[in-house]
Amino acid sequence: MKRYKRAALMLCSSSQLALTAVAQEASPGVRLDAVTITGTRQAYQGDFNRLETPQTEQSIDAETLRASGAVDLTRALDLSASVARQNNFGGLWNAFALRGFVGDENLPSNYLVNGFNAGRGFGGPRDLSGIESVDVLKGPRAAMFGRGEPGGTVNLVTKRPTFKTAGEFRVAAGSFDTYRTDADWTTPLSDAVAVRLIGFAEDARSFRDTVETRKYGMSPSLAWRISPQSRLIYELELSHQEIPFDRGVLAINGELGRLPRSRFLGEPGDGPLKADVQGHQLEFQHDFSKDWSALLGLTTRETSLEGFSTEAELATNRQKLLVDGRTLTRQRRFRDYDADYQVLRGEINGRFQLAGLQHRLIFGVDADRFENDQIFLRARAPALASNPTLAQQQAIDIFNPIYGSYPLPTPTPLTNRVETQKSVGVFVQDQINLSESLQLRLGARFEDYRQTLLNRANKQKSSQKETRTSPQIGVVLRATDALSLYATYGENFRPLSGADAQGNGFEPNQSTSIEAGAKFSLGGIDATVAVFHIKQKNILVAADASAATQLAIGKARSRGLEIDLQGEITKDLSLWASYAYVDAKTSNTFNDPNFGVAVPAGSRLLNVPKHTLSLQLVNSMAVAGRGLQLGGGLLHVGERSGEFTTNFKLPSYTVARAFAAYEVNRSMTLRLDVDNLFNETYYTNSFSALWVQPGSPRSARVSASFKF
């Protein structure tokens, strides 16, 4: 609580400084003109157009998302070639690498919602029902957003109330008994207050045997236009998901495809894991003048994940499959995970003249608290040398699986701990117009971070604290009105969860990043070409071959090229294209943290392809006086390392999709989507040769939307 009070005091002080600056700009006795708010600013973003920003950014808007058929975050991120799918924890969370780097593999990948940290909890894969756009913000962002990944971050922008009544109801049915409904309605309650009500429900079987998911949620919001200068937004997030834990298929002697992609190797008797979310966001914006504004925000998000799973044993001395080639030894696990996240933030945005130069300033303070509470139980077979029974091994014949062959064992305690991370940060960014064509961006963030780890099993408690400064410098050259060149340098840090053998916290993960590129507009197409080089150190690795303890000594680097295009080729034909070449490798030799096996320097990072291409085309026309859209997309993902300690590889793949949408009348639209058009067999990610996620076969769905 003291840390939040300190942040609030600093915020008040910064507000007074900004008010003073505004007052100095206005003549004495002159009343500042009122500004009517037509929308809210995005936190940490400032007031910059695309050609003025010395970093690569992709904004996947609602129209592009709808054309892609994406209803969840994983599918949306397939549109960005810089994002690679990672081990998704049996389908229970979002996991991705940006420019080759992923965060803590034992937690979901972090993402932001309206600038707030929101992805680190256990609420299941993120649904897009209440999302207006998905922003892929590449490059180091720690100077503004705080600790994070060096490859960049993902920010979700929510749908907010408008002061015009509108609504849409959509129903869909598809392959594998998939049924979904979405509802979205917004209306003003008065001249000053508007609401928006959004909800969804989905019941879906799967191409995977016995696997069925159910989920539903709602995200109502309220906007209060307090005055022409002030606006308050409140948003609620509620969701519930039931998802069976599914580690996918496996490779036999390193060979994929010997099992059908539908083969489920868990136990249906475990039932689904249940994931719940309850979140609140409150954001206040005030415009002091046309040049100065303030943003204050508060969020709290509680998530939980609970349930049983049966999954392949990875230890070679316990895995019978490695002996007879058909009998899979499995573990049974129980997880009861809870996470609680609170964030308080405030910032001042403004522009002023100093020494004949224009400055655009962002200054702010934020504080957050993340509590990660984990109870983990496990039932595991003894080593093969002790000749365990098939029941002890929870064995299953991978070629002829019979579920429920043995009584499900009762797991025993393995982990019982709670970790609390707290931080307070102060950030500042100033972009200076050195001339009409040259701009300089200077930014820095000072962060005070503290971690406490309580092992409730043995009552051992450890703590650590760090203070870090994350700088950033960038330069933008406006060569023409349609072309800019830029370069930027930044540093990032990310705290590491857990403790070493002595109970001490780890040195934070640290990185440096250099990026250069060109942004231009050609006709109706906006394009960005960028090259980057990132170095990362203090990666968690095994301290010895037993992998019982860990050290933060691993190093890696990533470098590459990106090309992004989006816009209109003609009045009726729109294009989205994203290509990335990413060369991500280890820089030193270390022991893998999961298996304790030596990983040589120069090994490719897990699940990161060298080449990725995402393409989407949409053609709009009129048929019988009504609108018709025809479109399609293509995703190519190159070969990837499928297991960190061996030569096991996931093969490259190319999948295509197509859609057609026809406006029956002004209120009703019918749509057909076909995914994996040519029924390609492919694998999206893996953790080992025994945990491999297959992609879905060809599927279709029809939907009808009704606007009112």
Side-chain angles (χ1 to χ4, degrees), residues 509-583:
N509 182 275
Q510 299 177 56
S511 61
T512 59
S513 177
I514 300 173
E515 177 183 343
K519 299 182 179 183
F520 56 93
S521 297
L522 184 63
I525 299 293
D526 291 333
T528 302
V529 178
V531 293
F532 62 87
H533 186 96
I534 308 169
K535 292 182 179 180
Q536 191 175 41
K537 65 179 183 179
N538 294 348
I539 299 171
L540 274 185
V541 303
D544 54 45
S546 69
T549 58
Q550 293 182 320
L551 292 173
I553 59 172
K555 297 180 181 180
R557 62 100 177 129
S558 177
R559 59 191 179 194
L561 164 72
E562 297 166 334
I563 302 173
D564 296 322
L565 307 171
Q566 65 182 102
E568 295 182 348
I569 300 175
T570 66
K571 179 182 177 182
D572 299 322
L573 184 63
S574 65
L575 167 71
W576 174 279
S578 180
Y579 167 78
Y581 167 80
V582 179
D583 182 18

Side-chain angles (χ1 to χ4, degrees), residues 144 166 222 234 241 265 267 293 315 318 363 425 442 506 528 676:
M144 293 296 290
L222 182 144
Y234 168 73
Q241 300 189 51
L265 295 172
E267 273 296 330
S293 66
R318 301 171 190 262
F363 174 74
L442 300 173
F506 300 109
T528 302
N676 195 359

Side-chain angles (χ1 to χ4, degrees), residues 207-208 246-252 255-265 312 321 328 398 648 650 681-683 685-695:
F207 72 98
R208 304 279 295 148
D246 182 9
R247 289 291 192 188
V249 296
L250 52 81
I252 302 173
E255 181 184 351
L256 288 165
R258 293 184 60 185
L259 295 180
R261 52 189 163 184
S262 61
R263 181 66 45 82
F264 177 64
L265 295 172
L321 182 71
L328 182 70
I398 62 173
F648 174 61
L650 296 181
T681 297
Y682 66 103
Y683 304 91
N685 63 87
S686 69
F687 181 77
S688 81
L690 300 181
W691 293 354
V692 182
Q693 290 294 334

Side-chain angles (χ1 to χ4, degrees), residues 404-551:
S405 297
Y406 312 103
L408 294 174
T410 301
T412 56
L414 183 66
T415 301
N416 186 356
R417 71 183 186 191
V418 58
E419 180 181 19
T420 304
Q421 299 178 6
K422 300 178 182 179
S423 72
V424 172
V426 180
F427 56 90
V428 61
Q429 177 184 288
D430 187 11
Q431 187 146 330
I432 309 166
N433 288 19
L434 300 178
S435 68
E436 290 187 1
S437 60
L438 185 64
Q439 298 182 28
L440 175 67
R441 173 176 288 189
L442 300 173
R445 178 186 180 92
F446 174 82
E447 188 146 359
D448 179 22
Y449 164 80
R450 298 182 184 183
Q451 175 200 45
T452 302
L453 182 64
L454 173 62
N455 186 335
R456 288 180 296 222
N458 59 15
K459 308 301 181 184
Q460 184 178 3
K461 186 175 183 179
S462 62
S463 62
Q464 68 163 329
K465 59 181 180 179
E466 294 279 346
T467 56
R468 294 281 170 176
T469 300
S470 303
Q472 181 187 10
I473 182 170
V475 62
V476 180
L477 175 64
R478 292 292 297 269
T480 68
D481 289 341
L483 170 65
S484 68
L485 307 175
Y486 73 90
T488 188
Y489 167 85
E491 297 181 7
N492 264 54
F493 92 99
R494 175 173 57 83
L496 298 172
S497 297
D500 61 19
Q502 288 72 43
N504 300 315
F506 300 109
E507 281 287 309
N509 182 275
Q510 299 177 56
S511 61
T512 59
S513 177
I514 300 173
E515 177 183 343
K519 299 182 179 183
F520 56 93
S521 297
L522 184 63
I525 299 293
D526 291 333
T528 302
V529 178
V531 293
F532 62 87
H533 186 96
I534 308 169
K535 292 182 179 180
Q536 191 175 41
K537 65 179 183 179
N538 294 348
I539 299 171
L540 274 185
V541 303
D544 54 45
S546 69
T549 58
Q550 293 182 320
L551 292 173

Side-chain angles (χ1 to χ4, degrees), residues 12 14 69 76 153 198 272 302 322 335 384 390 480 542 597 675 685 699:
C12 291
S14 64
T153 190
I198 298 173
E302 298 177 1
L322 304 178
R335 298 171 177 88
L384 295 176
L390 293 177
T480 68
V597 180
D675 293 326
N685 63 87
S699 61

